[in-house]
Amino acid sequence: MANSWRRERWDSFRLLTPNWQSRLPGHRYEGPDPDGYMTMGEVTEFIERFATLSRAPVRTGTNVTSVRRTDDGYQVTTSRGEIRCRTIVIASGACNLPALPEFADAVPDSVEQLTPFDYRGPGQLPDGGVLVVGASATGVQLAAELRRSGRPVILSVGEHVRMPRTYRGRDVLWWMDASGVWDERFDEIDDLSRARRLPSPQLVGTPERTTLDLNTLASMGVEMVGRWAAVRDGRALFSGGLRNVFSLADLKMERLLDTFDEWAKTHGRDAEVEPPERFAPTRVPEAARLQLDLRSGEVIAIIWATGFRPDYGWLDVPVIDAKGRLRHEGGVVDSPGLYALGLPVLRRRRSSFIHGVEADAREVVEHLARQLAVRR
Amino acid sequence: MTAVTNGVNVQALLDAREVLKGAPEAAQFVWRASSRWQNGVHSTTTVKEFFGLGQEQSHKREAVFDADHPEVFAAEDNGITPIEYLLVGLASCLTAGVASVAQNRGIQLRSVEATLEGKHDIRGILGVDGDVRNGFNDIKVTFNIDADASKQDIEALVAQSQKRSAVFDALTNPTNVTVEVA
C-alpha cells in the first residue's frame, strides 16, 4: 500500500500541496498544521488510514503482471493468482519510470548517473560536483539540497513552470483551488495534450513556506546552463536558449498571477488577502556555459530530473499511443469496461492531485456503472 | 479574430498540424542549396527545389545569393559574408514567428522591426588563438513592435516565436553536420 510513496521518493520529500488540501471522500487531514506539507511517512499513513476507513478489499504485495480482454471483460493475472472482471479502473499513475534522454547512454562511465528513484540524499554521493538535469519540482529541490551539502551544482534548465510558494499571503495552491484554475475541465482546454504534458511547478513544501525558484538557486550558488541537447566526444552540449526559457516561464507566471488578481477583484476577495505582488524576473547569468567536459572530473554524478513516464508493460490491451500514453477520453479508455483515474488533467486540472480524484472518480464510476447495467 | 489581418493563413497552418499528427512521414522535409565557387572567396549559392509532403517541390523562382568577404578582409565584397546569412535566417525566422503567433492570438501588427548583432572574434577563423571559437560568441536580437497589444503580450509573442523557430533552434542547439567529397 502506498508503494510509490514508500519506495520511490527521496528522504527529504514532502507533498507540494498543503495539508488542508489532502482530502479524500470521508477522510481529510485534521492535524494541527493545515498549512504544512506532509512528509513521505505522513502521506503513507494518510493513505493507509483511508484504506482502513473505506474498508476497500486491498490486496497488498500483489503485482499485476497482465491484463487481457476476454469475451465479457478482462482477465487479470497477478503474482497471487487470476482475477476475472467486467470492468477495470487503472490507477497506476503517470510516474512509474524515470524518463531519460537517449544520450544518457553516451555519458562516460566515470560519471555516476542517478534517477530520482535511486536518489535518497546527498550523503549517498561521493564528494564532487553534481549536474542536475531538469528544473521542475524534482530538479530544483534536489539541486538545492545538493548545493546545501556543500557540493558545486550545475542545473540544466529547459522549459519549466515558475510559481511563488505563497502569493498575497496565501499558498499559491490555495489560489489554484479557490480561483477555479484547477477546476478547468479537460474538454474546455485549448491544447489538452500540452496541458497533460505540463511539468510540475517549481515548488517545495517546507515548514518555512519558502519559494524555490531559479533566482533562489542562483543566490545559493547553483550554476545554470541551458537544456542539455547532446553528448559529443564526452562533452555535454547545452542549448544557448536559456534566456528564452526564463522569459517564457516569467511571462506565464505573470499571466497566472493576473488571473488570480482578476478573480480576487471580481469575487470581492481582495480584503481577505494581501495586496498584489510581482516578482523579479529570472536573472540571466552573464555567460551560461554551452558545454561541459564530462571526463574532466568537474561533475562526479548526474541526476536525471527529466520527468517520468507511465509503465503499461502489463496491459495487453491495444489502448496505448505511440508515445506510450493511455488513450482515453476523460478517463474512459477506448476498450469497453476499461477506465483510468489519477492521470494529469484526466477530467480537470486538479486530476492528478490527492484532492482531485474525488470528482473524477464520481464521473468515471457513473460511466462504469452504466456500462455494467447495459451489459447485464 | 477575423478583423486581424497580418497576412498569415493561420487556419492552413492549424489544419496542417492536425493532418500531420497522423502522417509524420509527410512532415519530413529536405531543404537544399547548391553553390559554385566564383573567384577568391566569392561564391554563388542558388536555392530552388526542396522535398516535402511526400514529393519534390519547387519555389516559384530560383533565389541567388552571393557571398564574399568585405574589403577590410582584402576581398572584393561581391556579397555579404557567410556568417551574416545566419543573421538573415534568424531575423526572418523570428519575424515570421511573430506574425504567425500574432495572427493566431488575434493581435493586429502595425510594424515589426528587428535589429541583430552577432559578436564574432575573428581570431578563431584566422587561427590566432586556438581557444577562440570560429562562430558567433553571442547574438542579440532587438525587436521593435507596434501592435494592438500590451507590452506583456508583445513579449509573449516574441518568446513564443523563439520557442517555435527553426533557425533559433538550429543556432542554439548542436546539429550533426556531415561534409564529404563526392
Side-chain angles (χ1 to χ4, degrees):
Chain A
M1 205 178 286
N3 181 68
S4 57
W5 297 101
R6 262 180 231 276
R7 294 188 174 80
E8 294 168 4
R9 304 286 184 272
W10 54 96
D11 293 344
S12 65
F13 183 95
R14 281 173 185 264
L15 274 194
L16 297 184
T17 45
N19 289 333
W20 63 267
Q21 284 183 346
S22 289
R23 45 184 195 238
L24 289 166
H27 179 40
R28 57 171 59 228
Y29 176 87
E30 275 163 350
D33 184 17
D35 294 325
Y37 309 90
M38 289 187 194
T39 62
M40 234 177 356
E42 289 164 339
V43 179
T44 307
E45 278 167 31
F46 183 83
I47 292 170
E48 282 174 337
R49 179 95 186 109
F50 180 64
T52 307
L53 287 172
S54 66
R55 296 205 202 90
V58 179
R59 299 191 190 178
T60 57
T62 307
N63 285 327
V64 173
T65 54
S66 135
V67 168
R68 282 186 306 271
R69 266 209 76 83
T70 60
D71 288 341
D72 60 347
Y74 297 90
Q75 178 81 26
V76 180
T77 306
T78 78
S79 55
R80 298 194 184 184
E82 302 283 319
I83 303 170
R84 286 177 66 89
C85 53
R86 292 174 60 198
T87 61
I88 295 181
V89 179
I90 299 170
S92 50
C95 303
N96 309 124
L97 297 167
L100 269 58
E102 270 177 31
F103 57 74
D105 291 340
V107 170
D109 292 338
S110 56
V111 180
E112 194 177 339
Q113 297 185 53
L114 290 95
T115 72
F117 282 14
D118 310 318
Y119 176 87
R120 284 291 168 274
Q124 157 194 22
L125 297 174
D127 280 341
V130 181
L131 170 58
V132 177
V133 190
S136 295
T138 302
V140 295
Q141 289 184 26
L142 301 191
E145 174 168 293
L146 287 157
R147 181 69 196 123
R148 276 195 293 266
S149 77
R151 288 173 174 72
V153 174
I154 303 171
L155 179 64
S156 167
V157 182
E159 275 194 61
H160 54 275
V161 179
R162 182 183 178 194
M163 269 187 206
R165 179 72 263 184
T166 56
Y167 180 62
R168 301 180 66 178
R170 297 290 185 107
D171 196 293
V172 73
L173 300 183
W174 175 85
W175 288 94
M176 296 293 276
D177 188 59
S179 70
V181 171
W182 265 347
D183 289 318
E184 198 182 354
R185 287 173 53 92
F186 74 110
D187 45 12
E188 298 166 349
I189 293 172
D190 271 349
D191 192 341
L192 181 60
S193 72
R194 184 161 144 203
R196 285 181 170 161
R197 289 196 315 268
L198 202 67
S200 58
Q202 290 174 331
L203 288 176
V204 62
T206 61
E208 300 78 27
R209 302 215 288 168
T210 44
T211 292
L212 182 56
D213 58 16
L214 298 178
N215 284 345
T216 317
L217 289 172
S219 303
M220 294 169 69
V222 171
E223 178 186 346
M224 311 288 161
V225 295
R227 185 170 188 273
W228 189 349
V231 176
R232 190 184 286 164
D233 303 331
R235 287 171 169 271
L237 304 184
F238 305 111
S239 167
L242 191 56
R243 189 184 289 268
N244 194 47
V245 294
F246 289 178
S247 297
L248 285 164
D250 288 350
L251 287 161
K252 260 183 226 157
M253 178 180 69
E254 293 257 317
R255 280 201 295 275
L256 183 66
L257 302 182
D258 287 346
T259 309
F260 295 161
D261 292 343
E262 185 59 31
W263 168 81
K265 202 168 116 191
T266 53
H267 289 77
R269 306 290 290 265
D270 271 332
E272 64 178 280
V273 289
E274 290 166 17
E277 14 174 7
R278 284 297 175 267
F279 303 92
T282 306
R283 292 195 298 275
V284 182
E286 221 152 273
R289 273 199 266 188
L290 299 174
Q291 45 179 295
L292 172 70
D293 186 352
L294 296 168
R295 289 173 300 209
S296 68
E298 186 182 348
V299 300
I300 48 100
I302 291 166
I303 298 184
W304 298 105
T306 37
F308 302 92
R309 57 191 173 87
D311 178 8
Y312 294 115
W314 46 271
L315 185 58
D316 300 317
V317 184
V319 289
I320 307 301
D321 70 14
K323 300 268 190 182
R325 288 186 283 253
L326 194 65
R327 277 189 283 116
H328 69 91
E329 180 74 19
V332 180
V333 180
D334 188 20
S335 175
L338 200 55
Y339 297 90
L341 280 174
L343 294 175
V345 204
L346 185 100
R347 294 190 69 84
R348 31 181 80 68
R349 286 198 190 268
R350 70 169 79 240
S351 288
S352 48
F353 294 88
I354 289 177
H355 62 274
V357 77
E358 179 167 358
D360 282 9
R362 285 187 203 290
E363 293 167 13
V364 164
V365 168
E366 207 171 280
H367 192 290
L368 183 151
R370 277 203 308 275
Q371 173 81 11
L372 283 177
V374 167
R375 292 167 70 211
R376 183 151 288 161
Chain B
M1 197 171 285
T2 43
V4 174
T5 51
N6 295 324
V8 182
N9 189 343
V10 164
Q11 196 51 51
L13 297 178
L14 294 176
D15 292 348
R17 190 163 94 157
E18 276 314 302
V19 171
L20 295 179
K21 258 185 201 166
E25 61 292 341
Q28 306 311 309
F29 274 63
V30 181
W31 304 104
R32 302 192 187 106
S34 318
S35 73
R36 180 177 292 274
W37 174 58
Q38 300 293 347
N39 184 43
V41 292
H42 175 204
S43 66
T44 306
T45 301
T46 57
V47 176
K48 184 159 193 246
E49 265 97 37
F50 59 96
F51 180 89
L53 304 178
Q55 58 183 10
E56 285 299 323
Q57 309 274 357
S58 181
H59 284 287
K60 271 198 253 175
R61 279 178 295 279
E62 180 180 81
V64 182
F65 302 94
D66 279 302
D68 201 345
H69 283 168
E71 288 179 345
V72 290
F73 284 6
E76 290 179 359
D77 206 1
N78 289 296
I80 64 172
T81 60
I83 201 166
E84 285 169 309
Y85 277 107
L86 292 182
L87 299 182
V88 175
L90 182 61
S92 47
C93 196
L94 291 177
T95 302
V98 166
S100 306
V101 178
Q103 183 74 42
N104 193 36
R105 295 185 179 174
I107 295 173
Q108 180 63 55
L109 298 172
R110 279 183 293 272
S111 81
V112 180
E113 286 167 8
T115 50
L116 288 85
E117 277 184 14
K119 290 198 177 137
H120 189 202
D121 184 342
I122 66 162
R123 288 178 303 168
I125 52 174
L126 291 174
V128 176
D129 186 338
D131 293 333
V132 175
R133 72 178 287 185
N134 296 331
F136 285 127
N137 284 312
D138 210 37
I139 298 175
K140 188 169 185 206
V141 183
T142 309
F143 268 103
N144 228 309
I145 296 176
D146 182 14
D148 288 329
S150 67
K151 184 166 192 292
Q152 196 184 22
D153 285 343
I154 289 172
E155 282 174 2
L157 279 184
V158 173
Q160 185 66 18
S161 88
Q162 291 168 77
K163 181 175 160 172
R164 286 276 169 263
S165 164
V167 179
F168 183 84
D169 175 75
L171 283 170
T172 54
N173 289 306
T175 306
N176 269 323
V177 180
T178 307
V179 180
E180 56 186 21
V181 177

